[in-house]
Amino acid sequence: MRAEHAAGVLEVYRRGIEEGDATFETTAPDWETFDAAKLDEHRLVALDEDGRVLGWAALVPVSDRCAYAGVVEHSVYVHPDARGRGVGLALLTALVDSTDAAGIWTVQSGIFPENTASLALHRRAGFRVIGTRERIGRHHGRWRDVVLVERRSPAVD
């Protein structure tokens, strides 16, 4: 993922936000803010043959405490027109391959329980459900639960 992908990445993100079951965020940030928040080494885009962004995946650190140096939170978004074609699984598989190679031992995320497609995708990619954080945040005026998922790297003992 590079600056040349900014418009496409933010468009996919905006579409996910508008659907209402992807994130607590209500607006997409500008590219500079988005770019600064994501770890440089693990940012991926899926492109079609014309270079259009079909989806993206990226990581943020969970904490700056050294004990959590190998724990990250990820996001994966797929353009609505590209869903059901394996884009999400390809991105998530490439992302965990990248994190395994880098010595990251836990990749986690929080998913709204209503986002059944994302939960199924994560199961296919080897993530497990840790539990549900009930009424953890308010989104558009209502309390939302979040299902915590994680994948522990088999490469780290």
Side-chain angles (χ1 to χ4, degrees):
M1 180 187 305
R2 297 184 298 270
E4 67 195 63
H5 304 120
V9 166
L10 293 177
E11 172 64 13
V12 170
Y13 192 26
R14 184 189 61 74
R15 299 279 298 261
I17 290 169
E18 288 175 355
E19 289 176 336
D21 285 331
T23 179
F24 279 109
E25 298 298 334
T26 56
T27 58
D30 60 40
W31 176 250
E32 291 73 23
T33 303
F34 179 93
D35 185 50
K38 307 301 184 217
L39 295 174
D40 289 336
E41 307 83 30
H42 309 280
R43 303 179 327 160
L44 306 170
V45 291
L47 306 173
D48 69 9
E49 58 279 351
D50 297 321
R52 186 175 75 116
V53 175
L54 300 177
W56 60 268
L59 303 176
V60 296
V62 168
S63 174
D64 60 359
R65 295 175 62 196
C66 62
Y68 297 106
V71 183
V72 295
E73 184 171 348
H74 81 284
S75 297
V76 60
Y77 283 78
V78 177
H79 192 284
D81 296 343
R83 293 182 187 151
R85 300 189 335 209
V87 173
L89 186 58
L91 283 165
L92 206 44
T93 300
L95 189 69
V96 297
D97 288 348
S98 173
T99 57
D100 282 353
I104 292 171
W105 58 82
T106 301
V107 178
Q108 67 183 33
S109 192
I111 303 169
F112 291 137
E114 297 84 0
N115 194 342
T116 56
S118 184
L119 290 168
L121 167 65
H122 283 82
R123 276 192 299 278
R124 283 192 307 274
F127 285 73
R128 68 186 180 113
V129 171
I130 300 301
T132 301
R133 299 182 80 185
E134 296 176 353
R135 297 171 49 97
I136 193 66
R138 292 181 64 82
H139 185 241
H140 297 299
R142 70 179 177 110
W143 288 104
R144 299 291 299 263
D145 296 347
V146 170
V147 177
L148 296 177
V149 298
E150 77 172 17
R151 180 189 176 276
R152 296 280 303 194
S153 174
V156 179
D157 49 349

